[in-house]
Amino acid sequence: MQKKFIFIFCLFYILNITAQSEATFKITYKTEPILQGSLDGKSEQMKTIVNEIIDQAKKTKYTLVTNQKEASFRKEEMMSKGDRNPYEKIFKEGANRFTGFHEKLYSNNQDSEIVFKQNLAGQELVVKRDFYDFKWQIKKASQFILGLSTKKAEGVYYNPITGNSYEIIAWFAPSIPIKTGPDIYNGLPGLILELELPKAVITAETIEESQKLEIKKVSVKDALSQKEYEKLISELNKKLNR
């Protein structure tokens, strides 16, 4: 009787994991910006601009649609206020700097490749490259996000454009064994539901499961390879340092 119970339990567990791995999920993320430095001593106009940028960042939403095979990530379009504020472009660009996320990104999880759109020195580029290596280290800490148990992982991101590295923290859900997360951040044995970056904390606000969700690819037409992209960055940096 005990052996039968163990067999049924194991079968249920395997079927549950299989169902999760074949499912497609839609996750909406919200942004909590982290202001670095103080506004003390700044002009009232500057304080107003910074507060507006922070407000824009808080209103910015990102959507990830993902399954075991692939994923698409994009920034949700925000409704314009319609008042043609001359600072509107500054507000949007400033809000984007908190996360540094791409507006659109496609991830091939089976081949560990990503395709994203990148504006570099005024050039609109499409780049196809391997997953970034964040050198993840999984820790013992855990917390619940949207009712799901998540584990903590610490990693390091090297920015090829600035040449700087910084530490990142991710909270991932082992119960959803899909190795994706917001933007380029992936590679863990579970869906990333929260990401702590130097300038922002990005947290899953909603999550839904459906077989009808569409994963939109980013066209690889005229896409730069990883080597071509890194070479272009190197050449631009040399020009700037002359």
Side-chain angles (χ1 to χ4, degrees):
M1 184 71 180
Q2 186 177 7
K3 290 182 178 179
K4 184 177 180 181
F5 173 79
I6 293 173
F7 172 77
I8 293 173
F9 176 81
C10 291
L11 181 61
F12 174 80
Y13 178 80
I14 292 170
L15 290 174
N16 183 59
I17 291 295
T18 302
Q20 289 279 31
S21 65
E22 293 178 351
T24 299
F25 296 88
K26 179 181 178 181
I27 306 94
T28 301
Y29 294 90
K30 62 181 179 180
T31 305
E32 183 61 39
I34 299 173
L35 181 62
Q36 297 180 328
S38 173
L39 293 179
D40 293 343
K42 304 293 183 182
S43 67
E44 289 303 314
Q45 183 182 32
M46 179 58 68
K47 289 179 181 179
T48 300
I49 292 174
V50 171
N51 287 329
E52 183 65 32
I53 289 173
I54 291 173
D55 186 56
Q56 286 268 346
K58 287 182 176 181
K59 292 177 181 178
T60 302
K61 307 291 183 181
Y62 298 93
T63 299
L64 173 69
V65 181
T66 182
N67 56 34
Q68 280 281 15
K69 297 179 180 179
E70 56 185 349
S72 63
F73 179 83
R74 63 185 173 87
K75 183 177 75 172
E76 296 291 344
E77 292 296 329
M78 294 177 63
M79 295 294 291
S80 175
K81 293 182 179 179
D83 55 3
R84 296 184 180 180
N85 190 320
Y87 293 111
E88 187 170 355
K89 185 177 179 181
I90 296 175
F91 296 157
K92 288 183 178 180
E93 290 179 352
N96 290 339
R97 289 197 183 102
F98 281 105
T99 63
F101 287 167
H102 302 89
E103 290 196 9
K104 293 181 181 179
L105 180 143
Y106 170 77
S107 171
N108 184 325
N109 298 335
Q110 292 181 317
D111 295 334
S112 297
E113 292 180 338
I114 54 176
V115 182
F116 57 80
K117 291 187 175 182
Q118 171 84 54
N119 186 306
L120 187 63
Q123 299 181 62
E124 289 291 340
L125 306 173
V126 176
V127 180
K128 181 180 180 182
R129 59 157 295 152
D130 297 337
F131 277 5
Y132 287 83
D133 180 9
F134 297 104
K135 304 185 187 303
W136 294 115
Q137 293 185 355
I138 298 174
K139 303 298 180 178
K140 292 182 179 179
S142 63
Q143 67 171 329
F144 282 90
I145 299 175
L146 295 178
L148 295 171
S149 178
T150 65
K151 297 186 71 174
K152 181 181 181 181
E154 296 178 352
V156 177
Y157 169 61
Y158 170 75
N159 189 326
I161 297 176
T162 64
N164 297 323
S165 298
Y166 55 79
E167 295 181 355
I168 53 178
I169 293 174
W171 296 88
F172 67 97
S175 61
I176 305 179
I178 299 176
K179 59 180 181 180
T180 51
D183 200 58
I184 62 173
Y185 300 91
N186 47 36
L188 285 165
L191 180 65
I192 297 175
L193 296 183
E194 185 169 283
L195 189 65
E196 298 178 24
L197 302 176
K199 296 181 181 180
V201 176
I202 300 90
T203 307
E205 191 173 41
T206 63
I207 182 169
E208 63 178 278
E209 177 186 349
S210 175
Q211 299 300 326
K212 297 180 181 180
L213 293 169
E214 181 184 2
I215 296 179
K216 297 181 179 180
K217 295 185 177 182
V218 176
S219 175
V220 295
K221 182 181 180 182
D222 300 324
L224 296 177
S225 67
Q226 183 172 338
K227 287 184 178 180
E228 290 172 330
Y229 179 56
E230 291 175 351
K231 181 181 178 181
L232 177 61
I233 292 172
S234 177
E235 291 173 350
L236 288 173
N237 285 336
K238 286 178 181 178
K239 289 180 180 178
L240 290 173
N241 294 326
R242 284 179 181 174

